[in-house]
Amino acid sequence: MSEQTTNPTYVLQGAAPLGADPVDLVLAGGVITEVRAAHSPVADDETAVDATGLVALPGLVDLHTHLREPGREDAETIVSGTRAAAVGGFTAVHAMANTTPVADTAGVVEQVWRIGRDAGWVDVHPVGAVSVGLEGHQLAEIGAMADSAARVRVFSDDGKCVWDPILMRRALEYVKAFDGVVAQHAQEPRLTEGAQMNEGVVSAELGLAGWPAVAEEAIIARDVLLAEHVGSRLHVCHLSTAGSVEIIRWAKGRGIDVTAEVTPHHLVLTDELARDYDPTFKVNPPLRTAADVEAVRQGLADGTIDIVATDHAPHTREDKDCEWAAAAFGMTGLETALSVVQQTMVDSGRMTWADVARVLSAAPARIGRIDEGPTAQGRPLEVGEPANVVLVDPTARRVVDGRSQATASTNTPFHGHELPGRVVATFLRGRATVLDGAPVEQVAGVRS
């Protein structure tokens, strides 16, 4: 693949930062160098990008992405996954540790970090495992991963719960030394043995083993108390029930240092979709009830839930094109996340574009501690800040085609659905990774 040897000075003409009044944003040398009046004259050495009618947001940051490499490159690679992230408007992702081998050593997290850096589509921040092999018995090399070139600050056994309260306490105590955070997959294993979907009316009618809400809520309740006891940071992954929202609300009211995320699919999809036994809709945690969907929307709107994270989980066709019981859990989400948030939260009047920037950029960057320094993410669109910018057309409508997305997998739950909004351009420190809605293949260092 050819390389882009120089980065032009881009002038985003008529862009509306966070949906406010249009201006011209000038991106040069990796930063925002100037904010001009809208549609000012452009110099000969500047490249104009027509952003009329487009909303400008800080580059999106995903705290929860599965890139599958190393080990499951048949489902996704770091290159294909980060290309999909750029198309979705992201400029940074956190790669979960449940790879093969597991990212439980400094060597593995540095491998993931270096491949992501060489790919160049987005900044890749590896998430380190809490326990060796994700088995929940022995702490992984947390300190070594934190001190590595990857500078890991988020640790999670996601895909599995840190079920042992003693190990969870030790992990929370350990990460305090470098201001890290433990991101918990809240799933009590004994209460979910053999579970296939949400426990409720639909599971009873279908005869599928149910996944009770209390299995999530019990772990969250335990862990917020542990976090309070040791004075550490806790992050709750993919919160999905009304009860979980109430526990987080209570914990924050008590002053506990806890944050929480909701996925796009839990903002809109319900367990009714399991009636057709389509494995596309099999996910962990499971799709819940309409009442749960309403509760998580309200929790996101009022700030109880801090961020939206994709839990992008690509799978091969073989792992999804099978009977429900044999199918893998998970859905892709990087390329549809912003549209789902627009549909459920912005177009409904629950949130503004400034709120979207908070839950999809500033807050996840802060939780992951990547919001400072020359490669900072989630920063405001102001002069002197890193030029991580996404331009969105909020008036566009598109029908999702899972077969034509940039991710290597097709298991999107939104295939055939019409969604609002379209990412028109993405800039990573002033370098265009997406223009006119398509990946810029001349990105320096990107491997095909």
Side-chain angles (χ1 to χ4, degrees):
M1 178 177 293
S2 61
E3 292 191 356
Q4 181 176 296
T5 56
T6 59
N7 295 320
T9 295
Y10 286 105
V11 182
L12 314 185
Q13 293 194 293
L18 310 186
D21 293 336
V23 296
D24 287 359
L25 295 174
V26 183
L27 317 182
V31 300
I32 299 172
T33 57
E34 192 176 354
V35 179
R36 303 173 183 166
H39 300 285
S40 296
V42 176
D44 291 341
D45 61 348
E46 297 174 335
T47 300
V49 175
D50 185 6
T52 305
L54 305 184
V55 173
L57 299 171
L60 308 184
V61 177
D62 192 13
L63 202 68
H64 193 149
T65 306
H66 296 275
L67 295 179
R68 302 304 188 205
E69 187 177 0
R72 286 306 305 267
E73 290 84 355
D74 53 337
E76 190 83 280
T77 66
I78 293 171
V79 171
S80 66
T82 55
R83 183 189 291 117
V87 169
F90 290 88
T91 52
V93 300
H94 289 74
M96 281 295 174
N98 59 339
T99 51
T100 307
V102 171
D104 57 4
T105 66
V108 177
V109 296
E110 285 194 358
Q111 176 189 4
V112 172
W113 174 73
R114 292 184 191 281
I115 295 173
R117 182 193 59 182
D118 292 344
W121 293 105
V122 303
D123 289 342
V124 175
H125 298 277
V127 173
V130 172
S131 67
V132 175
L134 308 181
E135 293 302 322
H137 299 299
Q138 177 185 351
L139 284 182
E141 296 179 6
I142 291 176
M145 289 187 280
D147 291 339
S148 72
R151 196 179 172 274
V152 177
R153 290 295 179 269
V154 182
F155 296 85
S156 180
D157 277 1
D158 183 65
K160 295 184 178 181
C161 179
V162 182
W163 54 269
D164 184 341
I166 294 177
L167 192 76
M168 186 64 179
R169 173 182 175 169
R170 289 173 179 165
L172 287 166
E173 289 173 332
Y174 205 129
V175 300
K176 287 176 61 178
F178 45 83
D179 195 24
V181 64
V182 178
Q184 175 68 294
H185 175 117
Q187 178 191 351
E188 215 299 320
R190 292 298 302 276
L191 290 174
T192 55
E193 290 180 358
Q196 293 290 307
M197 64 171 295
N198 178 58
E199 181 179 283
V201 172
V202 179
S203 67
E205 292 179 0
L206 297 180
L208 291 175
W211 189 309
V214 70
E216 174 175 304
E217 295 157 7
I219 292 295
I220 296 174
R222 182 200 76 177
D223 287 351
V224 295
L225 293 174
L226 283 175
E228 179 183 43
H229 181 68
V230 304
S232 189
R233 289 201 298 139
L234 170 72
H235 179 74
V236 178
C237 296
H238 42 49
L239 176 152
S240 68
T241 77
S244 296
V245 176
E246 288 306 311
I247 295 168
I248 296 297
R249 186 175 284 122
W250 172 85
K252 287 189 170 185
R254 191 178 170 93
I256 299 172
D257 197 354
V258 58
T259 53
E261 71 189 35
V262 64
T263 72
H265 46 272
H266 285 110
L267 285 171
V268 65
L269 306 177
T270 73
D271 59 354
E272 291 288 336
L273 290 165
R275 290 189 181 277
D276 291 333
Y277 296 97
D278 182 349
T280 301
F281 301 107
K282 185 178 180 181
V283 67
N284 181 346
L287 300 178
R288 303 291 188 178
T289 67
D292 291 312
V293 169
E294 174 58 27
V296 296
R297 288 185 185 183
Q298 181 57 42
L300 184 63
D302 67 24
T304 301
I305 299 173
D306 300 83
I307 67 171
V308 175
T310 71
D311 194 9
H312 175 78
H315 289 292
T316 63
R317 186 177 299 275
E318 293 75 18
D319 285 338
K320 277 293 191 179
D321 190 10
C322 57
E323 64 181 24
W324 179 282
F329 291 95
M331 305 167 168
T332 62
L334 287 168
E335 295 168 76
T336 52
L338 186 55
S339 289
V340 174
V341 172
Q342 178 183 334
Q343 179 188 64
T344 58
M345 305 304 293
V346 179
D347 292 351
S348 66
R350 290 176 182 261
M351 290 174 60
T352 66
W353 285 108
D355 294 323
V356 173
R358 170 174 53 83
V359 302
L360 272 169
S361 184
R366 184 179 65 254
I367 294 167
R369 297 299 191 254
I370 59 169
D371 57 339
E372 296 182 356
T375 61
Q377 296 281 348
R379 303 293 300 171
L381 299 179
E382 298 174 356
V383 172
E385 297 287 0
N388 301 314
V389 186
V390 56
L391 297 177
V392 185
D393 181 355
T395 66
R397 308 287 301 186
R398 62 192 176 106
V399 176
V400 177
D401 184 351
R403 298 162 299 187
S404 64
Q405 292 188 305
T407 173
S409 294
T410 62
N411 56 306
T412 171
F414 301 107
H415 177 73
H417 290 230
E418 184 179 75
L419 293 177
R422 172 177 175 264
V423 172
V424 176
T426 307
F427 299 88
L428 175 62
R429 286 184 288 281
R431 176 165 50 79
T433 57
V434 174
L435 288 174
D436 295 325
V440 178
E441 297 296 341
Q442 293 83 9
V443 173
V446 172
R447 303 179 304 169
S448 57

